[in-house]
Amino acid sequence: MAEAPAPQGGSSLLFLTDEQLRKGIEAMFFAYRGFTADPDRILEGREMGRAHHRAIHFIHRSPGTTVSNLMALLGVTKQSLNRVLRALIAAGLVEARVGRRDRRERHLHLTEEGARLERELSDAQRERMRAAYRTAGPVAVAGFRQVLEAMMDDESRRQYEALAGRGG
Amino acid sequence: MAEAPAPQGGSSLLFLTDEQLRKGIEAMFFAYRGFTADPDRILEGREMGRAHHRAIHFIHRSPGTTVSNLMALLGVTKQSLNRVLRALIAAGLVEARVGRRDRRERHLHLTEEGARLERELSDAQRERMRAAYRTAGPVAVAGFRQVLEAMMDDESRRQYEALAGRGG
DNA sequence: CTTGGAATGTCAACAAGGCTGACGTATTGT
DNA sequence: ACAATACGTCAGCCTTGTTGACATTCCAAG
């Protein structure tokens, strides 16, 4: 995508008013609630929470990723991550294999059961996303992604794009 | 599975693939991080966190709102909210006025200093949003909002629209 | 006028999930 | 041989959420 629509001539900048920006901020707040609602519901009772979901998601996404990688991706300390991983491994959802090239590293993989839970979680989340996409239509979806990408920190955008390059 | 929207003409449904949906999910995750980063930074050191920001935002947005209202808006228990409000009142940022019609109610207002902090917080957040909007352009912004609204729970959408009706 | 229920405040106890600091252990690379 | 890396773990702390219980104040309906 090249040129932004040149704001010249009669083109108004009304979409940049404080009012419009505030609406966007509130929309993010309320939408994020919906975004996390389904997985939260599924995990509650299983003694797990959002942190476990995030770990499962990215391990599924990048099988064999290391602990350090995951730390950077999630933006948490190794102690926080370790607590989550310990629970996932104890529950038989994740496997940590010693690295072959560098045996200090642990390569993380979902077990069969971990993959099953991942599927359940992402099905729920995807279903909501699909409904929203369908309602809004392809043009809106393109805009949605553009704005979100522009909103990220540089570091996050780098990570996002690295992931996208892998399987999308 | 219900009906897909009639794939009329040459319109493809490629924007509904699992791949595209996953990208949207990851974009939400990374973008939300950026979304909250600036206010978090400002509040850190001031002995306050995201919860305080949210309360300040909605009190600013709906001056005179009651505790019950705020509870529903934020989706937390009165105990959680009360702890936050107590801190805000102790810090001289928020004032709780006894209701005139119904004296059980507390009507919440920002003090001068509360308004100053609110300004600082929302300036930072708005600035990021403005940059993102400007980068993406008006058409993308419209799509962004459409998708977010479609992603909300019914209850959240109701609240979002009630707010929008008030000042926007 | 009494009384039930609503709106609020508060205490206690607890959990999830962040954080820092410190220390230990393999393992790798110089 | 030694420093640095990757990881695990213990201990302690913070924020922000939860439930349960109880007190107060006050409106509204019987």
Side-chain angles (χ1 to χ4, degrees):
Chain A
M1 304 302 147
E3 310 263 82
Q8 56 205 331
S11 155
S12 92
L13 290 178
L14 286 183
F15 76 111
L16 290 177
T17 60
D18 281 5
E19 191 54 28
Q20 290 299 307
L21 295 168
R22 188 190 43 64
K23 271 196 192 174
I25 288 169
E26 287 170 357
M28 275 297 279
F29 172 71
F30 288 116
Y32 199 77
R33 204 188 265 175
F35 175 69
T36 56
D38 302 318
D40 282 0
R41 219 176 343 260
I42 291 173
L43 287 169
E44 123 185 338
R46 222 182 260 248
E47 305 196 358
M48 303 205 185
R50 211 170 287 182
H52 304 79
H53 178 202
R54 293 196 283 252
I56 288 174
H57 174 95
F58 286 113
I59 293 173
H60 167 75
R61 186 80 176 81
S62 307
T65 190
T66 66
V67 175
S68 299
N69 263 334
L70 205 48
M71 268 172 56
L73 218 49
L74 297 175
V76 299
T77 60
K78 68 171 175 177
Q79 293 91 330
S80 282
L81 178 54
N82 188 258
R83 179 170 30 191
V84 169
L85 286 179
R86 220 183 312 167
L88 290 174
I89 291 170
L93 301 173
V94 165
E95 194 184 351
R97 303 183 193 153
V98 172
R100 289 191 315 146
R101 282 213 330 249
D102 186 336
R103 295 173 48 188
R104 289 171 302 182
E105 294 180 340
R106 298 301 137 89
H107 297 274
L108 304 169
H109 298 266
L110 294 184
T111 63
E112 287 245 341
E113 191 176 338
R116 223 173 303 142
L117 178 55
E118 192 283 330
R119 195 76 190 147
E120 187 182 349
L121 292 169
S122 70
D123 276 354
Q125 198 162 37
R126 247 200 320 270
E127 201 37 62
R128 180 185 294 261
M129 196 63 77
R130 194 193 317 275
Y133 273 26
R134 189 148 31 202
T135 298
V139 175
V141 166
F144 166 70
R145 287 259 300 278
Q146 274 181 270
V147 174
L148 288 187
E149 286 171 32
M151 203 183 304
M152 296 175 194
D153 283 327
D154 289 346
E155 172 64 5
S156 294
R157 192 174 312 105
R158 213 187 49 68
Q159 295 172 333
Y160 171 75
E161 280 163 5
L163 280 175
R166 269 197 184 187
Chain B
M1 296 293 146
E3 301 263 275
Q8 50 200 344
S11 154
S12 91
L13 291 177
L14 286 183
F15 76 110
L16 290 178
T17 61
D18 281 4
E19 191 53 30
Q20 290 299 307
L21 295 168
R22 189 191 41 67
K23 272 196 192 171
I25 288 169
E26 286 170 358
M28 274 296 279
F29 172 72
F30 288 115
Y32 199 77
R33 206 189 265 174
F35 175 69
T36 56
D38 303 318
D40 281 1
R41 219 175 345 259
I42 292 174
L43 287 170
E44 124 185 338
R46 220 181 262 248
E47 306 195 359
M48 301 203 186
R50 211 172 286 182
H52 303 80
H53 178 202
R54 293 198 282 254
I56 288 174
H57 175 94
F58 285 112
I59 293 173
H60 168 75
R61 185 80 177 81
S62 307
T65 190
T66 65
V67 175
S68 298
N69 262 335
L70 206 49
M71 268 172 57
L73 218 49
L74 298 175
V76 299
T77 60
K78 67 173 174 175
Q79 293 90 332
S80 279
L81 178 54
N82 188 256
R83 179 171 30 193
V84 170
L85 286 179
R86 222 183 310 168
L88 291 174
I89 291 170
L93 301 172
V94 165
E95 194 183 352
R97 303 183 193 151
V98 172
R100 289 192 314 147
R101 281 215 329 250
D102 185 334
R103 296 172 51 186
R104 289 170 303 180
E105 295 179 342
R106 299 301 137 91
H107 297 273
L108 304 169
H109 298 265
L110 294 183
T111 63
E112 287 246 340
E113 191 177 338
R116 224 173 302 142
L117 177 56
E118 191 283 330
R119 195 76 189 148
E120 187 182 350
L121 292 169
S122 70
D123 275 355
Q125 198 162 38
R126 248 200 319 271
E127 204 34 63
R128 180 185 292 262
M129 195 64 76
R130 194 191 318 275
Y133 272 26
R134 189 150 26 206
T135 299
V139 175
V141 166
F144 166 70
R145 287 260 300 278
Q146 273 180 272
V147 174
L148 288 187
E149 286 171 32
M151 202 182 308
M152 296 176 194
D153 283 328
D154 290 346
E155 173 64 8
S156 293
R157 192 174 312 109
R158 211 186 49 69
Q159 295 172 331
Y160 171 74
E161 281 164 5
L163 280 175
R166 267 194 186 191

